[in-house]
Amino acid sequence: MKTLKSLFDSNRIWAEQIEKEQPGFFEQLSKQQTPEYLWIGCADSRVPANEIINLPPGEVFVHRNIANVVVHTDLNCLSVIQYAVEVLKVKHIIVCGHYGCGGVAASLDDNDHGLIDNWLQHIRDVYRFHSAELDSIEDPTAKKERLCELNVIEQVGNVCATRTVRTAFKNGQNLNIHGWIYRLEDGLLQDLGVTVTGLE
Ligand code: CO
């Protein structure tokens, strides 16, 4: 049986390194988590939440799926949001998309992608909401990049529309929803300037 020994080896080295720098780190962290951030991002292997914002275990609650979509009927995502807001009391929810997103690109072609086409339909909806703007962009790369941005902005709206977030806003809970985008080519984040801090 193949056991992926190399991964267990690197895990041990990683844990030892952290324990050396901060003795008792894991023991301490095992008792509770108090992250300030909920990260909703793409499942893409090149966009790992903690690494990008350089935060250690315990600092970010994370939900990832293909193309960072927040669907009103997705019990998985809704449960993550509820737990993060009501129990962990995170102060920030970050929806982070990325340029060069394969899911967004796939939503733009007519190929058969199998099951995932159902999921990508949510991004085709985003296109439809913004078709006037997107249709006017001739350059295919620019069009794709803009759809990546608009997808994030729409998902920020979807987060705000959840019962959990609306209730938190009504109760005056300190909660901010952000829309960010990441560029694979330089590893840098950009704030899309759509932060929501209450019922508006
Ligand atoms: Co992606």
Side-chain angles (χ1 to χ4, degrees):
M1 191 175 77
K2 221 166 157 42
T3 56
L4 298 177
K5 183 176 177 301
S6 67
L7 297 187
F8 284 90
D9 289 344
S10 53
N11 165 249
R12 209 171 305 111
I13 291 165
W14 170 79
E16 283 168 4
Q17 182 69 28
I18 291 180
E19 202 55 34
K20 205 170 83 187
E21 286 165 9
Q22 287 172 265
F25 177 85
F26 291 105
E27 174 64 24
Q28 191 65 30
L29 195 57
S30 71
K31 292 180 183 131
Q32 64 163 346
Q33 61 165 337
T34 52
E36 283 197 12
Y37 312 99
L38 163 60
W39 174 283
I40 299 175
C42 183
D44 193 306
S45 66
R46 299 164 295 180
V47 196
N50 283 68
E51 282 89 340
I52 287 178
I53 44 180
N54 200 19
L55 286 178
E59 303 290 327
V60 201
F61 203 60
V62 176
H63 177 80
R64 290 167 69 184
N65 60 40
I66 288 171
N68 40 271
V69 180
V70 176
V71 180
H72 302 309
T73 51
D74 178 3
L75 274 181
N76 183 353
C77 185
L78 294 179
S79 301
V80 168
I81 292 173
Q82 188 202 350
Y83 189 77
V85 172
E86 293 182 6
V87 180
L88 298 174
K89 302 252 186 294
V90 297
K91 295 188 177 72
H92 304 275
I93 299 177
I94 298 154
V95 177
C96 185
H98 67 104
Y99 296 121
C101 183
V104 171
S107 78
L108 285 168
D109 67 39
D110 291 327
N111 301 333
D112 182 353
H113 309 95
L115 174 70
I116 198 181
D117 274 326
N118 300 287
W119 185 253
L120 298 178
Q121 199 57 41
H122 296 296
I123 303 169
R124 296 195 187 96
D125 289 340
V126 175
Y127 190 105
R128 191 157 39 81
F129 301 151
H130 300 275
S131 57
E133 178 189 347
L134 289 163
D135 285 343
S136 72
I137 304 174
E138 304 227 334
D139 178 58
T141 305
K143 189 196 289 268
K144 240 179 276 178
E145 294 208 339
R146 184 59 183 148
L147 183 54
C148 288
E149 293 174 354
L150 291 169
N151 181 44
V152 170
I153 294 166
E154 285 295 329
Q155 305 317 323
V156 166
N158 287 345
V159 170
C160 293
T162 61
R163 187 178 174 278
T164 297
V165 170
R166 292 182 63 81
T167 304
F169 282 157
K170 267 183 212 153
N171 294 339
Q173 188 173 329
N174 177 15
L175 182 63
N176 308 278
I177 323 297
H178 309 263
W180 294 358
I181 197 146
Y182 175 81
R183 194 175 284 286
L184 298 172
E185 285 84 355
D186 59 15
L188 295 177
L189 285 166
Q190 187 191 322
D191 191 327
L192 290 171
V194 291
T195 303
V196 179
T197 57
L199 290 172
E200 288 161 16

